[in-house]
Every structure is written in C-alpha cells, then in structure tokens.
Amino acid sequence: MHITEKQLKLITETASREAIRAYKEDESKRSQEKHDRRLRNIKLLLKHYRALVLHCEKLEDDLIKFENTSIQELDIDEINVESIESIKQSKTKSIAMVYFVRGKMEAYKRSCSEDELKYFRVLEMKYLTKRKYTTLDIATEMNIDVRTVHRYIERAIKDLPVIFFGVEAIKFEG
C-alpha cells in the first residue's frame, strides 16, 4: 500500500492537531492540580498555625540557648554535627513559617476593603487567634449564620493564593 503526498499531509495535520489538543488538556489538568495543591497547602498551614505558634514560642528561646552551647556541653549519647545542624534547621524553618504566615495574613488584612474585613475577621477567629473558636462561637460573635461562617472562610481562603504565592497563583485565560 502506497500513501500519497496528500494523504500523508492529512495524516500529519490530524496527528498534530490531536497532539496539541492532548497537550493542552494535560497542561490544563496540571495547572488545576497545582492550584488545588496550593489551596490545600494554605488550608493546612492555617489548620496547624496555632500548634506551630505554640511550638515556636519555646523554640525561639531554645535556639538562642542552643547557639551558645558547645557540643561538649550537650547531654546526648550519640552526637554529630550533621544532626545538630538538622535540628537547628528544622527549628528555624518552623519559626520562619510562623513569621511567613503572620506576614501573609497581615498583607491579606491590609488588602481587604472595609466590607471585606469581615472575611478576615472570621478567618482570624477560626485559625489565628490564641483562643480556639468553634464555628458556632464565630457565628454568635459575628452575629451571622453558621453557614455564613463557612462561606466567609472559603471566600477568604480563595483570596489567599496570590498573597501567598504571587503571580504564579493567578490563572490566566489562554
């Protein structure tokens, strides 16, 4: 069987169109997964923020003491420089993450209009304050319905990716 020049051109064009279509679909799916992963990461950070703050309050003092302690003064059976550096880096990362979230939430608050501050306040009560508010507590305090609390939190979290991740979080239409 012999393929003519015209048939070859048609096959090539069709295959190219299908390859481009498949690539665009795959790229769109990857972009959506990246966006979803970012939202999940923000939700995880907020969910664990209070625990991280409590953890870091002690860490800051420990890091200062640790910096001024010689290896000989440490009471550890098996010790090496790598394990000490690893511990210091882990503690430093925890503290850095608390400051990162604090800074981003402050930026979010500053970006809110007077009307949008209600979203920030609900988010703050749910995740950031020292006191742990239930959804019902927030609804009562803010004089809103429990379902509204959930809507406000979702709205606030929807606004956070650009503040946390910059232009990379913006979905541009192609």
Side-chain angles (χ1 to χ4, degrees), residues 38-40 42-43 46 108 119 123 127 151-162:
R38 286 184 174 144
L39 280 177
R40 242 187 341 272
I42 289 170
K43 288 178 183 179
L46 291 173
Y108 173 60
Y119 306 127
L123 191 71
Y127 297 111
R151 278 199 321 273
Y152 282 11
I153 289 170
E154 285 304 311
R155 166 66 197 277
I157 288 174
K158 190 182 107 203
D159 291 341
L160 293 177
V162 172

Side-chain angles (χ1 to χ4, degrees), residues 31-121:
S31 175
Q32 183 62 41
E33 287 170 357
K34 191 175 186 180
H35 178 73
D36 292 346
R37 199 170 44 252
R38 286 184 174 144
L39 280 177
R40 242 187 341 272
N41 289 344
I42 289 170
K43 288 178 183 179
L44 272 173
L45 279 172
L46 291 173
K47 180 181 176 187
H48 296 290
Y49 179 76
R50 277 190 192 93
L52 199 54
V53 167
L54 290 173
H55 175 68
C56 288
E57 285 175 353
K58 175 131 176 52
L59 286 183
E60 286 181 300
D61 293 336
D62 288 349
L63 272 176
I64 292 166
K65 289 176 193 170
F66 198 63
E67 280 293 327
N68 300 320
T69 303
S70 72
I71 292 175
Q72 291 77 18
E73 293 174 21
L74 293 173
D75 185 24
I76 300 175
D77 293 334
E78 290 182 24
I79 191 164
N80 62 44
V81 176
E82 291 81 17
S83 64
I84 293 171
E85 281 305 312
S86 176
I87 292 166
K88 283 172 48 179
Q89 285 177 0
S90 175
K91 290 180 177 189
T92 303
K93 283 180 186 176
S94 295
I95 292 168
M97 189 54 70
V98 166
Y99 285 117
F100 173 79
V101 172
R102 252 185 220 157
K104 297 305 179 184
M105 295 312 297
E106 188 58 39
Y108 173 60
K109 181 180 179 181
R110 286 191 316 266
S111 77
C112 290
S113 67
E114 195 65 38
D115 187 50
E116 293 169 329
L117 277 174
K118 61 189 175 196
Y119 306 127
F120 172 78
R121 285 192 203 105

